[in-house]
């Protein structure tokens, strides 16, 4: 198993190129199951979750290749409709094959994703939506067994909670269903928007893209012809590198970003004192004299992303006063707090709220990555800790951050990957 060794205390400088979005790539790869043509995707991040999804597609019978961020996926030969436990347990987002497989074949089996480090994370909303579209769903031996022998039909889906992958799953299924599907309380994250735009560009009628109500005209089972797709930039990776600049109080520039997806994050960084310059596809963060404490509540887009909560908690340890963070999306997303405390952070937890006391000197330590974003918070803390840190179990980081040690080293950090 690999770990990251980091010697803290170095200022960063220079330019970092932000990769394509993992969370946008996954549903787009799922959507290749709706296509009759060989689909080209570019700007895919070279991270483990993408490799896992491609291997899921090949186990289903797709032909896939990937090199230098470019993949070709041809799913016409798919005959298998079972997504096995072995793959789903590695990546919950495997659930994104459920909608396309069910819509295309009228049946499928997908291993039920279990809970994960950040909470129970049920998929009941996905399943209820498919039932409304005419599917029969049974849970058997840990698998979701879904059948719609007469095909899926359009329906009105009113999600009780906003769900990102739930919305994506239903959008993909609705694109092949018979008739019109309306999704109320839909997610409007940029990753959902890109999926809708890709389907819309190939002729699927979709209204309300980027809003909380989507209307999709299904093709009645006819497969789609998907044009080449260039995946949008990863706003969470961008937010993480902005935090790296902020926590080390450095001047760094991020290139290949989509600035409009970062407004909430940039506003917060400006409010707490950092200079921010933006251009067409770059953001520069400039050092500040004092980092002001802040209050943040995670929320659905365009609110503050839960996937950056951990990184901003690391940053809060360096603020002037007390910061309050409220996690509103997941019930157990403070695992990083305990590891940050081991590095000297002063954090009080109460339910879904964390109070972080600023101006703390952090010390290098052996710490354990618990989930993808929690791991990046530990990397950020290690960048300013006195002495050396070793971050273990970085397979979590590798799921979503492309070449993190190379990118940070190029910015001047002392980071090395080693084997346990
Ligand atoms: C996606 C992102 C993840 C991000 C999350 C919230 C991908 C691959 N992952 O995850 O990085 O942290 O959005 O922005 O895009 N819920 C239910 N029942 C359901 C579905 C969801 O109760 O059927 C609850 C969840 O437990 C959670 C909330 O709804 O409390 C939002 O979850 P959801 O938006 O579905 O997260 P994911 O799509 O899994």
């Amino acid at each position: 198993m690999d770990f990251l060794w980091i010697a803290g205390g170095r200022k960063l400088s220079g330019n970092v190129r932000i990769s394509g979005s993992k969370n946008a790539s996954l549903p787009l790869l799922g959507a290749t199951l709706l296509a009759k043509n060989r689909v080209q995707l570019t700007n895919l991040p070279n991270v483990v979750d993408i490799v896992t999804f491609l291997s899921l597609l090949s186990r289903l019978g797709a032909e896939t290749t990937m090199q230098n961020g470019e993949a070709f996926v041809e799913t016409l030969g798919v005959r298998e409709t079972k997504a096995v436990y072995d793959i789903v347990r590695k990546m919950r987002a495997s659930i994104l094959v459920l909608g396309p497989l069910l819509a295309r074949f009228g049946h499928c089996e997908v291993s039920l994703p279990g809970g994960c480090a950040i909470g129970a994370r049920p998929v009941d909303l996905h399943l209820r939506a498919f039932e409304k579209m005419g599917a029969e769903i049974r849970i058997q031996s840990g698998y979701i067994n879904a059948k719609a022998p007469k095909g899926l039909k359009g329906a009105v889906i009113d999600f009780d909670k906003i769900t990102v992958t739930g919305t994506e799953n239903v959008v993909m299924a609705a694109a092949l269903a018979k008739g019109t599907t309306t999704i109320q309380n839909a997610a409007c994250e940029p990753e959902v928007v890109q999926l809708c735009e890709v389907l819309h560009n190939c002729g699927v009628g979709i209204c309300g893209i980027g809003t909380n109500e989507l209307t999709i005209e299904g093709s009645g089972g006819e497969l789609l012809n998907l044009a080449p797709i260039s995946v949008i930039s990863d706003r969470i990776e961008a937010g993480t590198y902005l935090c790296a600049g902020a926590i080390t109080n450095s001047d760094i520039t991020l290139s290949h970003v989509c600035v409009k997806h970062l407004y909430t994050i940039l506003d917060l960084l400006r409010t707490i004192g950092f200079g921010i310059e933006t251009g067409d596809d770059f953001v520069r963060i400039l050092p500040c004299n004092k980092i002001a404490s802040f209050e943040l509540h995670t929320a659905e887009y365009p609110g503050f992303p839960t996937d950056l909560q951990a990184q901003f908690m690391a940053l809060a340890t360096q603020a002037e006063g007390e910061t309050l963070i409220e996690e509103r999306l997941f019930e157990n997303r403070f695992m990083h707090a305990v590891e940050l405390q081991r590095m000297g952070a002063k954090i009080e937890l109460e339910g879904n709220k964390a109070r972080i006391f600023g101006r703390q000197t952090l010390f290098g330590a052996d710490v354990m990555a618990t989930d993808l974003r929690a791991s990046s918070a530990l990397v950020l803390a290690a960048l300013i800790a006195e002495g050396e840190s070793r971050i273990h179990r970085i397979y979590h980081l590798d799921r979503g951050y492309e070449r993190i040690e190379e990118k940070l080293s190029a910015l001047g950090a002392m980071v090395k990957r080693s084997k346990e």
Side-chain angles (χ1 to χ4, degrees), residues 22-23 26 92-93 121-126 161-166 168 189 306-307 329-331 333:
K22 166 182 89 69
N23 284 357
L26 296 170
R92 300 179 49 81
R121 298 188 80 179
V123 289
D124 55 317
L125 301 175
H126 302 229
K161 263 190 193 175
I162 294 184
T163 159
V164 175
T165 48
E168 291 162 349
E189 269 64 6
T306 173
D307 286 350
L329 266 68
F330 292 107
E331 69 267 29
R333 207 170 193 180

Side-chain angles (χ1 to χ4, degrees), residues 313 316-317 321-323 337 340-349 354-362:
M313 186 180 288
T317 63
E322 260 178 60
T323 290
L340 289 172
Q341 282 165 342
R342 297 185 58 251
M343 298 176 80
K346 235 177 117 195
I347 301 170
E348 282 175 12
L349 299 179
R355 192 175 295 283
I356 301 102
F357 299 88
R359 297 176 70 177
Q360 297 300 311
T361 303
L362 301 185

Side-chain angles (χ1 to χ4, degrees), residues 72-152:
F72 288 93
V73 184
E74 151 94 73
T75 66
L76 258 194
V78 169
R79 298 286 173 267
E80 176 61 61
T81 55
K82 183 169 180 175
V84 294
Y85 174 71
D86 218 30
I87 293 204
V88 179
R89 79 184 164 87
K90 286 191 197 143
M91 189 187 57
R92 300 179 49 81
S94 309
I95 191 74
L96 285 167
V97 297
L98 177 59
L101 286 176
L102 182 58
R104 177 163 156 192
F105 297 99
H107 61 89
C108 66
E109 275 180 274
V110 176
S111 174
L112 193 61
C116 72
I118 64 173
R121 298 188 80 179
V123 289
D124 55 317
L125 301 175
H126 302 229
L127 302 188
R128 260 189 270 151
F130 293 132
E131 279 174 342
K132 267 208 116 180
M133 295 175 81
E136 275 173 38
I137 311 261
R138 281 191 305 163
I139 307 295
Q140 273 178 323
S141 312
Y143 276 80
I144 302 162
N145 194 320
K147 285 197 179 105
K150 294 186 195 138
L152 291 175

Side-chain angles (χ1 to χ4, degrees), residues 367-381:
V367 285
M368 193 82 89
T370 47
D371 72 66
L372 171 55
R373 307 303 171 183
S375 318
S376 59
L378 302 179
V379 171
L380 295 174

Side-chain angles (χ1 to χ4, degrees), residues 34 170-177 199 204 206 216-222 224:
L34 307 173
V170 173
V171 165
M172 290 188 279
L176 285 203
L199 296 175
V204 179
I206 307 189
I216 303 123
E217 300 296 335
S219 72
E222 196 183 316
L224 312 173

